[in-house]
Amino acid sequence: MIDAFIALGTNIEPRENHLYQAIKSLQDHEAIELASQSSIYETDPVGYTDQADFLNMVVHVKVNLSPHELLWVCQSIEQQLGRKRTVRFGPRSIDLDILLFNHQSMETDDLTIPHPRMLERAFVLIPLKEVAPKVKVNGRFVTDWVESLPDDDLAGVRVYNE
């Protein structure tokens, strides 16, 4: 099976429920095995800031799928959970982004791996560091990428206390 890492994010209530339903849907897929999951983090919105705080996390999955098949599964889960794509970086019931897929690099019209903005986002790197601190992205460990983030970005990511 192939290792992949998926970022999950939501800022439309019920936020926790959206995360748990997305994880359950991943687990229910016959070609996906959940290896580990990070804590849930509450994070300030980035980009479009006039919206509610997000809950973010990362899951490590083992898959028997191609990158595009995994993308299709993620997009299907988003649709099932009511994802509407109206405002770029805007509110969402759930967002599933493939961050890494078996140390592969690829760029197509609908999928770029590693995720093109993951190294700029504390809300992605902090939970990824929790599940995969020794994974390398662009030649550097995830831990090193986190340490290079600005303090303001790090302060916007807090462990969520349910």
Side-chain angles (χ1 to χ4, degrees), residues 1 32 39 54 90 108 119 158 162:
M1 294 191 90
I32 299 174
S39 302
F54 280 81
T108 65
L119 299 177
R158 307 160 296 280
E162 302 175 36

Side-chain angles (χ1 to χ4, degrees), residues 45 47 52 54 77 86 102 107 110 123 129 160:
F54 280 81
I77 292 169
T86 53
N102 200 34
E107 187 170 345
D110 59 348
F123 65 84
K129 175 185 165 190
Y160 179 65

Side-chain angles (χ1 to χ4, degrees), residues 4-74:
F5 296 88
I6 301 170
L8 292 82
T10 175
N11 74 334
I12 295 176
E13 295 295 344
R15 297 179 307 168
E16 293 165 67
N17 192 39
H18 289 135
L19 292 175
Y20 296 137
Q21 285 182 359
I23 291 169
K24 181 176 183 336
S25 294
L26 287 168
Q27 287 178 298
D28 287 348
H29 194 282
E30 62 188 22
I32 299 174
E33 174 187 313
L34 182 68
S36 63
Q37 65 188 55
S38 72
S39 302
I40 298 172
Y41 293 84
E42 190 160 34
T43 64
D44 298 337
V46 173
Y48 177 67
T49 57
D50 188 21
Q51 60 182 322
D53 286 352
F54 280 81
L55 293 184
N56 292 98
M57 65 186 304
V58 168
V59 294
H60 172 200
V61 292
K62 295 188 175 287
V63 300
N64 239 351
L65 300 166
S66 72
H68 278 94
E69 289 169 331
L70 182 58
L71 175 64
W72 183 85
V73 170
C74 290

Side-chain angles (χ1 to χ4, degrees), residues 92-109:
R92 67 214 47 201
S93 57
I94 193 70
D95 186 26
L96 284 87
D97 288 331
I98 301 169
L99 303 174
L100 302 168
F101 190 94
N102 200 34
H103 306 288
Q104 291 183 21
S105 292
M106 66 180 292
E107 187 170 345
T108 65
D109 289 343

